[in-house]
Amino acid sequence: NDAVIALDDQQRITYLNRAAERQYGVNATQELGRPLHQVYDYRWARSEDEDEAAEALARHEFWRGENIHVRRDGTKLHVESAVNVLRNDHGTPAGMLAVIRDISERKQAEEALRQSEQRLRAIFDGTYEYIGLLAPDGTLLEANRASLAFAGNTREDVVGRPFWETPWFTSTPGAPELVWQATMRAAAGEFVRHELRIVR
């Protein structure tokens, strides 16, 4: 299912497989001998990525990485490519062979997840409620700004510690035990609503 394209030392196409025909909307017999840029153009996320790819090909004769291919019709594809330098019978560089995977759907999913996480973070840090996110064993993974401001703690003071051993509860006699019991009940799948008075 991956596109495979071979080029000569002048960047002219010498081979296209069927997956490449589908991916770029071209016919192999019409493209053989044409410059690669007539099938697609490529863009880089960062300018230094192109330099790194060229250096890898020059030094190791192999490069693997991601960039964007733009088809003739303007469609942009996020791709992951593995490119090898080809040598002729005399050992002289004679072109390149590229195996190209379309990862556009994966990139779209990653972007959707990033935006979802940003929205969640905005809610998490924008509320005046005190929120803590716990691992199944009760370790505090994250605390929002309101809860840290309330207790006068930094994130480093609390994250990574068992919830019941955080400064929110250790200054109140009996609170760590009550919070531990509530946390274990919640970890077992029970919805727990608990009230207690704590001393800062």
Side-chain angles (χ1 to χ4, degrees):
N1 293 321
D2 293 341
V4 179
I5 301 177
L7 308 172
D8 66 14
D9 59 356
Q10 301 298 313
Q11 292 281 299
R12 294 174 301 210
I13 297 168
T14 58
Y15 175 78
L16 279 173
N17 70 345
R18 290 182 179 177
E21 290 180 309
R22 292 191 301 270
Q23 186 162 297
Y24 297 104
V26 297
N27 183 290
T29 56
Q30 297 174 359
E31 305 304 330
L32 295 180
R34 290 185 176 180
L36 178 64
H37 67 81
Q38 292 187 7
V39 172
Y40 67 82
D41 195 7
Y42 53 86
R43 298 178 186 168
W44 302 88
R46 307 175 307 159
S47 58
E48 55 265 35
D49 290 347
E50 184 172 14
D51 295 335
E52 290 173 5
E55 183 179 350
L57 286 168
R59 182 175 297 183
H60 307 293
E61 299 192 349
F62 175 78
W63 171 77
R64 181 188 297 276
E66 297 179 8
N67 61 4
I68 297 171
H69 287 182
V70 184
R71 301 186 349 166
R72 286 175 183 164
D73 62 5
T75 303
K76 294 179 182 178
L77 306 174
H78 288 268
V79 301
E80 180 182 66
S81 304
V83 183
N84 279 84
V85 172
L86 297 176
R87 290 182 173 272
N88 60 23
D89 294 339
H90 305 291
T92 305
M96 290 187 290
L97 179 70
V99 179
I100 306 162
R101 176 169 296 173
D102 183 357
I103 59 170
S104 299
E105 288 186 9
R106 188 185 85 194
K107 285 294 186 181
Q108 290 168 1
E110 289 173 355
E111 177 60 19
L113 178 60
R114 186 187 66 80
Q115 291 181 4
S116 176
E117 289 175 343
Q118 283 184 335
R119 288 192 293 270
L120 180 60
R121 171 59 64 181
I123 295 169
F124 189 74
D125 276 336
T127 181
Y128 292 104
E129 301 289 336
Y130 310 146
I131 302 174
L133 180 65
L134 310 182
D137 66 356
T139 300
L140 187 69
L141 300 175
E142 192 62 85
N144 73 340
R145 291 174 185 166
S147 64
L148 294 174
F150 160 75
N153 297 120
T154 66
R155 188 174 177 278
E156 290 70 27
D157 292 334
V158 296
V159 170
R161 300 173 66 171
F163 185 46
W164 51 90
E165 292 182 5
T166 57
W168 294 310
F169 309 117
T170 52
S171 59
T172 305
E177 177 68 19
L178 290 173
V179 174
W180 175 81
Q181 291 175 1
T183 303
M184 292 301 100
R185 286 166 55 199
E190 183 180 346
F191 176 77
V192 181
R193 182 187 298 276
H194 195 77
E195 293 184 9
L196 83 157
R197 185 185 298 274
I198 61 173
V199 180
R200 290 204 291 187

